[in-house]
Amino acid sequence: MPLARRVTQACWGFCVPGGELGAEDKNSHSLGTRNNLQTQTLTPQLQQKCRGHDCLVYMLRARKQHETYVATLREIGLDVIELPPDEVHPHCMFVEDVAVVCNGIALLTRPGHPSREKEVEYMRSILKNELELPVIEISDAKATLDGGDVLFTGKEFFVGLSSRTNQAGACALASAFPEFPCTPIKVDNALHLKSLLTMAGPEVICVGNTPEAKDTLKRIEREATFRYQTLTVPDLAAANVVFANGFLLHGSEDEYPGSSKIFEEKLSHWTLKPMAFTELLKSGGNLSSCSILIRKSRHLKNIM
C-alpha cells in the first residue's frame, strides 16, 4: 500500500552542487516544491582523490551522471545555476556540506575535514554577494558541522554527531534557526547522517536496511518533536534521495532493483526519477550532497 500523501504549499528552491533534500516553504515550513538549483562541475582531481581509497572514478561516466542529475533537476522545475570547478578542492561539487539555508538565512558551516575549510570562503561570496542572503557564521572555533549531517524535515532539524560534526556544531545550527526544534543524533559507522537516511517526501523518512541506519532511525523516533512515516529500502546507498516539486530522485533500477521496486510500490503518488550515480558514490558523494535548495526571493544573477 502506498504511503499516505500530504499536499504541501509550494516553495522556491536554489540548489548548489551538493545539496539539502528539504527546502522549506516560508509560510508552511514543510517540504514542498523547489524552483532553483546550482551545481558545480567535476574536477579531474576528484579521480586522483578517490584512487587513494582503493577505487577508481571513471571521469567520463561521472561527468555524464552529473550532467543527467543537473538536467533532471531542471526538468522538474528548478532553475539551475552551475558554479565553475575549483581544482584546488576536489570535493567542491559536494556543496551541501558548506552551507545550510532555511527561511532565507544561510548558515556557513565549519567542515569537519580540514581540506574543505577554504570552500566556505567561496560559498560565502556566492550566498552573500550574489544571492544577497543574510549569512550567519559559526564563531566557536571548536565547532565542526557538515551539511551532510543536517536533516531538515520541514518541521525540525536533526543533526548527526559524526566524525565530521560535533556537539558544538549542532548547537551552532540550533542558534542559527531557533524557530525550529534541533536535535543532535549520534551517527555510527557512516560518514554523515544522510548517508543513512533522508526525506522521501513530506513527513516520510527513507532509511537503509542496515543495523546502523535502523539504530539511527530509532534515535530520531525517540527524540522527534513530530511523528513521521518511514520507508525502509534494502540498499543503504538507495536511502539517499532528493525530493522536490513532487518528484523523487533516487538510484536506478539497474543499481538497486529491490529498492526501486519499493519506491514504485510505496511512493507511486510522486513522479519517480531513477538515475545512475555510481561514480560519484565512489568518492563519498550521493544524490543529496550535490545540491543546496534555497527559497527564491528575487531574480537570481547568473553566476559564472
Side-chain angles (χ1 to χ4, degrees):
M1 178 180 294
L3 293 175
R5 177 179 182 178
R6 177 166 298 187
V7 177
T8 63
Q9 288 184 300
C11 68
W12 299 86
F14 172 81
C15 175
V16 192
E20 160 66 70
L21 172 72
E24 77 291 344
D25 178 77
K26 184 176 181 181
N27 299 313
S28 67
H29 301 317
S30 58
L31 293 179
T33 60
R34 303 155 176 85
N35 290 50
N36 296 79
L37 170 82
Q38 179 182 352
T39 62
Q40 194 154 10
T41 309
L42 280 70
T43 68
Q45 287 75 10
L46 182 67
Q47 183 180 48
Q48 299 170 7
K49 201 75 174 177
C50 188
R51 281 176 175 167
H53 293 81
D54 298 323
C55 66
L56 176 63
V57 175
Y58 293 93
M59 291 303 294
L60 289 178
R61 190 182 302 167
R63 288 193 180 98
K64 179 63 176 177
Q65 291 176 354
H66 189 261
E67 288 170 1
T68 301
Y69 175 81
V70 174
T72 301
L73 288 165
R74 284 195 170 105
E75 180 183 322
I76 66 175
L78 297 175
D79 294 331
V80 179
I81 298 176
E82 294 187 72
L83 300 178
D86 180 358
E87 296 186 358
V88 177
H89 301 103
H91 293 111
C92 63
M93 65 169 295
F94 305 134
V95 296
E96 171 183 53
D97 290 326
V98 297
V100 177
V101 181
C102 184
N103 273 2
I105 297 174
L107 172 67
L108 290 172
T109 68
R110 292 179 61 90
H113 197 287
S115 67
R116 305 199 63 188
E117 291 176 358
K118 294 294 183 179
E119 294 178 42
V120 175
E121 297 179 6
Y122 182 54
M123 188 58 63
R124 178 190 298 112
S125 174
I126 298 299
L127 295 172
K128 192 172 184 178
N129 300 329
E130 302 294 340
L131 297 181
E132 301 178 7
L133 289 173
V135 173
I136 298 175
E137 304 202 33
I138 298 175
S139 59
D140 188 346
K142 295 181 179 179
T144 60
L145 177 68
D146 269 19
D149 278 315
V150 179
L151 180 70
F152 181 58
T153 71
K155 295 181 176 181
E156 61 187 314
F157 284 101
F158 296 102
V159 182
L161 301 182
S162 67
S163 61
R164 299 295 178 86
T165 297
N166 60 20
Q167 183 71 42
C171 289
L173 186 131
S175 297
F177 306 108
E179 65 271 37
F180 295 105
C182 180
T183 305
I185 299 293
K186 183 181 178 183
V187 173
D188 295 319
N189 300 319
L191 180 62
H192 290 129
L193 176 62
K194 286 195 283 189
S195 302
L196 303 172
L197 48 82
T198 53
M199 299 303 295
E203 302 180 10
V204 178
I205 297 176
C206 183
V207 60
N209 190 23
T210 66
E212 293 83 5
K214 290 188 288 187
D215 286 347
T216 302
L217 177 63
K218 289 178 182 178
R219 294 177 190 131
I220 286 177
E221 290 175 332
R222 285 197 301 266
E223 301 294 334
T225 303
F226 301 94
R227 298 186 66 179
Y228 303 95
Q229 299 180 81
T230 60
L231 180 69
T232 303
V233 293
D235 306 287
L236 180 60
N240 184 276
V241 299
V242 173
F243 177 78
N245 286 1
F247 295 84
L248 186 75
L249 280 63
H250 63 87
S252 69
E253 183 179 3
D254 290 342
E255 297 166 351
Y256 312 113
S259 297
S260 293
K261 183 178 180 181
I262 290 175
F263 290 134
E264 292 171 0
E265 292 176 350
K266 301 294 186 180
L267 299 176
S268 59
H269 47 280
W270 304 124
T271 301
L272 304 180
K273 291 289 185 178
M275 60 180 54
F277 224 60
T278 50
E279 299 309 307
L280 298 175
L281 283 171
K282 293 178 182 178
S283 58
N286 48 43
L287 287 173
S288 72
S289 70
C290 292
S291 56
I292 297 173
L293 299 173
I294 303 171
R295 182 179 183 274
K296 181 181 177 182
S297 59
R298 58 178 61 85
H299 177 71
L300 296 177
K301 302 177 183 178
N302 185 28
I303 305 172
M304 287 301 293

